[in-house]
Each structure stands twice: as structure tokens, then as C-alpha cells.
Amino acid sequence: MLKIATFNVNSVRSRMHILSQWLHDNRVDVLCLQETKTEDQFFPASEFEALGYEAVFKGEKAYNGVALLSLHPIMNPHFGLEDGEEPDPATRIVRGTVLGVHIINTYVPQGKSIDHSDYQYKMRFFDRLKTLFDREYSKADDLLWVGDMNVAPTDIDVTNPGNKRDHVCFHEDIKKKFEEIKAWGFIDVFRKYRPGEGEFSFFDYRVKNALERNIGWRIDHILATSSLAHRSEDCYVDRGPRGWEKPSDHAPVVGAFNIDE
Amino acid sequence: MLKIATFNVNSVRSRMHILSQWLHDNRVDVLCLQETKTEDQFFPASEFEALGYEAVFKGEKAYNGVALLSLHPIMNPHFGLEDGEEPDPATRIVRGTVLGVHIINTYVPQGKSIDHSDYQYKMRFFDRLKTLFDREYSKADDLLWVGDMNVAPTDIDVTNPGNKRDHVCFHEDIKKKFEEIKAWGFIDVFRKYRPGEGEFSFFDYRVKNALERNIGWRIDHILATSSLAHRSEDCYVDRGPRGWEKPSDHAPVVGAFNIDE
DNA sequence: GTGAGATCTG
DNA sequence: CAGATCTCAC
């Protein structure tokens, strides 16, 4: 069994109390972090090591930052899109292979507003990612693409779809772009197991009692190529840590895959 | 018995975890706080009330602030020097009477540097305090003057006297001034019980492992008029809380007085 | 080093 | 609301 989780931690250093407790309780094989918000020299690698996890990571001061943690060796780690285009978002994408499964962890740009150049950059990010899939992987591979995608794919993935039509994480253009790239060869494993409404992974700090009122977004995803998706066993949001002291605004999304047979 | 403590908390709101625990363990009759660093509307009065303590307090945003907490009624509370001189440091001195004992709690200005005007203000603070003693009290009163005095009176009250001759808390001028005002009628109760070296109440955060290495200053004091000093039973620094999680840089100083006979 | 403040960001 | 940064104070 390969248990993998994706978790936007909103500062890895401010979230060690959550991460220690959660990894102690869950022992996922792989944990993909986004928004670590710290330069590599300050990344708490030894704390993860003490928990049994090796880590590859790249971050910057205050913004972005991704990490790939694993109980098993991480083979062939890479950062960024490596397509020769500038800028290469090296602190938004980390890849590696664990137990023969290729893993891509992305922190997709949020986009600010639909008339902002960052939104075009976000669209372009997905295009470039598709190029990377074409270049580096095959649709027949055991491939997992996980992370904070900053896209809620359908109406049931947000609390109030009506007032979010112009939102950078819910606009028709970005949803279409996301569907296109998923069509490369990915299955939304979460929806295999939780097809209903009210399933969210992000609860804005600014919304009062968002967790209790279940006002959120499903923008953190675990996507798998069909070979792997067919061997999936479960996928769920663990809302627990969102309710702990000093939480991230995101909750971990966990997936389980039977890779042993 | 009257147990009294003085404790520079370096933000009362950031120190509630320490204060709750410590008051639960110690149940002093009176606790004098300095550097509460909060406006009165945000002072955690109800939390102290829940612990059985009534409080009089005056603070300001980010700086200064004093509080007088007591298990017994606080009679005739006053703030500031009330001498008509401006400015009146109302958030640096609180007075009141508990079980017939007059208590003065001061947070004496630090002074910044010996060539800074704040240092002159510090000297003047002691002069004005002496005027207050003359005006409001008699040397025959049961009177306690406690607080963060920002003066280490003698060579054994600091770790390295040699390199502190020009320090605002150790310069000859301020030590002389402090001795003069003590001469109004106060006895340093702490030294009755702990005459030796290496007794400190303040351990700078910036000195690595200051507590374990015992590198500090004795600048928090419990002074009593002779009638009361003769009935004192003990006086000590409780270094415990300085070693707890998220501590103040000061430790409480505790004194016990047999006022029942 | 650890409080506080203000300002910016999502 | 809660990260980040910076400045200030002790």
C-alpha cells in the first residue's frame, strides 16, 4: 500500500506542531507540502528526519515553496518545469519517484484576479505542465499528480458557486484549462470515493467558523493515471488538523493505492 | 502570612500560560506585574478573576503597564506619581493597600543609555518617588515597595560587574540614587535571606542559555520598611518559570511576611 | 531573542 | 485571520 497526502501548510515552520502530530498519527508513505514559505537553509529537514521522513524541498522567503517527504527513498528528484522558459517556477513544483511511483507535487499560482497578469501566468503554468507530462511521462506510467491546484473543478467543489464565477480558482477559463490537462490522462481519485457535495480542503481564515459551517473550497487534489487509479483504495480530506491550534487554512487530502499486487 | 511577588512579565497577554500555572502553584496573596504591555480594555482581568485574584491595572499599547493582583480586597488604589509634574508615569506605578499593608509597585524606566535623556528621566523618577513617599507615607508604616527597579545595587547583583560600569542599570550615579531613596526607610528583604552571589531575577533572552549558565541581573526587588522587614520570613527568586515554554525574560521574586501577629 | 507595532498578502 | 516583513524596545 502507498499512502500519499497533499497538504498546503501555509508556512512549514509555523506548522511543525501540526505536522509532527499528524505524521505521528498517520504515517503516510509520502507527504507533499505546498507553501512552505521558507528558504532551504531554514527548512526543518532534521525534524522530519527524526520522524522517519527524508525530504526534498525548495523554497523562498515568505512565498511559495514545495517539499516531497517520504518514508522510502526518493529517486530522481527534480524541481521546476525545466522547459527553458523563464521564469522557471522551481519553488512551485517538485517531482520524484517513490517505490516506482512517479509523483508530481505542484503549487499552482493562485492568479490574484482574472484581469491580472498572474492569471495568465496560471493558465500558462498548466500549459507548460502538460508539456512536461508529454516530455517526461507516458500515460501508461504509474503517475500521481498532487498538490494545491488552485482550481475547484465543479459547482459542488465550492460552497456558493453563484458568487464565484469571476474568481481565479473558479472561472470557466481556468476550469476548462484544468479539465484539458486532466484529459492528458488523469483521474480525480477523490471523486471515486466521495462523489457528494460539501467536501472541501481549504477553509479561508477570514470566513468566521468556516470549518464548523463547512464553507470552503476543494482545490487540493490527488490525480492518478488510470493504471494507478484502478488500484486506488480510498481518498479523503482529513479535516482534523484544520481544527487544531494554529492551523493551516488547508486540510490534508489523503489517498491510498494498492501498489503491492 | 502575606506572600507577595513581583514579576516583570514582558506582555501579560503573552504570559498567561505562565501566570495561570504559577498562581495555581503558588497562591501568593499579592502579585505585582510590570510590562503588561496592553491597553486596559485588553487586560485579561477575568482570567485572573477565575484564579481568585482581583486586579487593578493600567497599561498602554506595546509599552509599560503595571498591575496589582490580590486574593484580598485592594484598598485605595492609585496610579502614577500624582505630583503635578508632566508626564505622570501612570503606567509605571500602581499603589494600593492589602490587609493593611501599603504596597507600591513600580516599573522604573530603563534609561536606554547614560547619555540619553531617558536616563535623566530615570534619575528624576526616583527623586519624584521619594517625594511621593514623603507625601503619602510614614517611615513607621507597613510599606512594601516592589517591582522592576532597573537597578542592580551591588557588584554581586550582576554576572560581570566590570563590563557594566556604563550600563544604565549599573552606573554609579543610578546606584547612588537608588541607595539614597532606599535610605528613606527601606530594607532590601532579599539580601536578609540570600546574601550570596549568583542571585538574579532577569536573564536576557539574547544571552544563550543565560539561565543554565546563570548569567543575569538582580534588578527586581522587594523592599520593606523596618516594621515589616522585621516580620519577614523569606525572600527568594523563583527561577522555575524562566525555564518554562515561552518565558518572560524575568523571574518572579517572592517575599513572605508574618503580618498576623 | 522575544515581545510589541504597522503594513502587505491571500 | 494569519502568515510574511520591518522597525523598535529592552
Side-chain angles (χ1 to χ4, degrees):
Chain A
M1 190 66 64
L2 178 91
K3 274 187 92 175
I4 184 169
T6 175
F7 190 7
N8 178 319
V9 286
N10 188 11
S11 172
V12 67
R13 284 190 286 166
S14 299
R15 221 60 65 206
M16 283 314 294
H17 62 293
I18 302 265
L19 286 164
S20 304
Q21 183 65 54
W22 194 81
L23 283 175
H24 176 268
D25 296 347
N26 287 273
R27 304 304 293 166
V28 290
D29 298 283
V30 176
L31 177 59
C32 295
L33 304 181
Q34 305 87 37
E35 284 207 85
T36 54
K37 288 188 174 178
T38 189
E39 289 170 300
D40 295 347
Q41 57 187 302
F42 303 121
F43 187 92
S46 58
E47 296 185 51
F48 288 118
E49 211 174 292
L51 292 160
Y53 287 84
E54 81 170 68
V56 297
F57 48 87
K58 200 178 286 290
E60 56 193 288
K61 205 191 271 197
Y63 300 108
N64 307 327
V66 284
L68 178 52
L69 312 185
S70 174
L71 286 175
H72 319 283
I74 299 165
M75 314 303 289
N76 201 26
H78 282 262
F79 296 95
L81 293 163
E82 302 178 305
D83 55 5
E85 193 174 316
E86 293 294 330
D88 188 11
T91 58
R92 287 184 176 276
I93 168 166
V94 55
R95 303 182 285 132
T97 302
V98 176
L99 302 174
V101 175
H102 304 298
I103 294 158
I104 305 172
N105 170 23
T106 57
Y107 173 49
V108 175
Q110 196 254 5
K112 288 207 173 80
S113 63
I114 55 170
D115 55 358
H116 197 282
S117 66
D118 283 14
Y119 186 57
Q120 292 312 309
Y121 182 66
K122 180 180 190 173
M123 302 278 258
R124 180 95 198 105
F125 187 93
F126 283 122
D127 290 336
R128 294 170 70 186
L129 208 47
K130 193 147 145 239
T131 304
L132 182 140
F133 295 153
D134 281 327
R135 190 183 76 232
E136 304 276 349
Y137 304 99
S138 141
K139 289 145 220 248
D141 284 347
D142 284 345
L143 176 59
L144 285 168
W145 172 30
V146 311
D148 179 352
M149 311 299 184
N150 267 316
V151 179
T154 74
D155 279 10
I156 64 165
D157 295 313
V158 295
T159 299
N160 185 342
N163 66 12
K164 289 181 181 63
R165 300 293 169 198
D166 288 340
H167 194 284
V168 287
C169 299
F170 199 65
H171 191 272
E172 273 312 314
D173 293 346
I174 204 71
K175 285 193 289 193
K176 198 173 150 209
K177 184 70 79 181
F178 190 53
E179 290 312 315
E180 279 168 20
I181 185 165
K182 274 198 285 187
W184 181 89
F186 290 104
I187 289 160
D188 184 344
V189 179
F190 185 85
R191 284 304 183 194
K192 258 184 84 174
Y193 300 96
R194 319 275 149 169
E197 57 181 20
E199 296 274 1
F200 308 123
S201 63
F202 166 70
F203 302 88
D204 198 319
Y205 290 131
R206 290 165 291 186
V207 176
K208 260 232 192 268
N209 301 118
L211 189 68
E212 299 86 314
R213 293 159 69 198
N214 202 33
I215 296 172
W217 302 64
R218 193 175 73 92
I219 57 179
D220 301 280
H221 301 289
I222 293 183
L223 308 171
T225 48
S226 67
S227 62
L228 209 50
H230 290 135
R231 282 175 291 157
S232 69
E233 305 236 315
D234 197 5
C235 191
Y236 57 91
V237 175
D238 183 357
R239 302 160 64 97
R242 181 63 180 82
W244 298 351
E245 285 293 293
K246 292 255 154 211
S248 169
D249 40 5
H250 293 249
V253 180
V254 185
F257 298 88
N258 185 353
I259 60 168
D260 309 311
E261 68 188 21
Chain B
M1 189 66 65
L2 179 91
K3 274 188 91 173
I4 184 170
T6 174
F7 189 8
N8 179 319
V9 285
N10 189 12
S11 172
V12 68
R13 283 190 288 166
S14 298
R15 223 57 67 205
M16 283 314 295
H17 62 293
I18 303 264
L19 287 164
S20 303
Q21 184 65 55
W22 195 80
L23 281 175
H24 175 267
D25 296 347
N26 288 274
R27 305 303 296 166
V28 290
D29 298 283
V30 175
L31 176 58
C32 295
L33 304 180
Q34 304 87 37
E35 284 206 84
T36 55
K37 289 187 172 179
T38 188
E39 290 169 300
D40 295 347
Q41 55 187 309
F42 304 120
F43 188 92
S46 57
E47 296 186 51
F48 288 118
E49 210 174 292
L51 292 160
Y53 288 84
E54 79 169 73
V56 297
F57 49 87
K58 199 178 287 288
E60 59 193 285
K61 208 189 270 202
Y63 301 107
N64 308 326
V66 284
L68 178 53
L69 312 184
S70 173
L71 288 175
H72 319 283
I74 300 166
M75 313 304 289
N76 202 25
H78 282 260
F79 296 95
L81 293 162
E82 301 177 306
D83 56 5
E85 192 172 316
E86 291 297 328
D88 188 10
T91 59
R92 287 184 176 277
I93 169 168
V94 54
R95 305 183 282 132
T97 303
V98 175
L99 301 174
V101 175
H102 305 296
I103 295 158
I104 305 172
N105 171 23
T106 57
Y107 172 50
V108 175
Q110 195 254 8
K112 288 203 174 80
S113 64
I114 57 170
D115 55 359
H116 196 282
S117 66
D118 283 14
Y119 186 57
Q120 291 314 309
Y121 181 66
K122 180 181 191 174
M123 302 277 259
R124 179 92 199 107
F125 186 95
F126 282 123
D127 289 335
R128 293 169 70 187
L129 208 45
K130 191 146 148 240
T131 304
L132 183 139
F133 296 151
D134 280 328
R135 190 184 74 231
E136 303 278 347
Y137 305 98
S138 140
K139 291 145 217 250
D141 284 345
D142 285 345
L143 175 59
L144 285 168
W145 173 30
V146 310
D148 178 352
M149 311 296 184
N150 267 316
V151 178
T154 75
D155 279 10
I156 63 165
D157 295 313
V158 295
T159 299
N160 185 343
N163 65 11
K164 290 181 181 63
R165 301 291 170 201
D166 287 339
H167 194 285
V168 287
C169 299
F170 199 65
H171 191 273
E172 274 310 316
D173 293 344
I174 205 71
K175 286 193 287 193
K176 197 172 151 210
K177 183 70 75 179
F178 189 53
E179 291 310 316
E180 279 168 18
I181 185 166
K182 276 199 282 187
W184 180 87
F186 290 103
I187 289 160
D188 185 344
V189 178
F190 185 87
R191 283 305 184 194
K192 258 184 84 174
Y193 300 95
R194 320 275 149 170
E197 57 183 22
E199 297 273 3
F200 309 123
S201 63
F202 165 72
F203 303 87
D204 198 317
Y205 290 131
R206 289 164 293 187
V207 176
K208 261 230 191 267
N209 301 118
L211 189 69
E212 299 85 313
R213 295 158 69 198
N214 202 31
I215 297 173
W217 301 65
R218 194 176 72 93
I219 57 180
D220 301 279
H221 302 289
I222 293 181
L223 308 170
T225 48
S226 67
S227 61
L228 209 48
H230 289 134
R231 282 174 292 157
S232 69
E233 305 237 315
D234 196 6
C235 191
Y236 59 92
V237 175
D238 181 358
R239 301 159 62 98
R242 182 62 180 82
W244 298 351
E245 285 293 293
K246 291 257 152 210
S248 170
D249 41 4
H250 293 249
V253 180
V254 185
F257 298 88
N258 186 354
I259 61 168
D260 310 311
E261 69 187 17

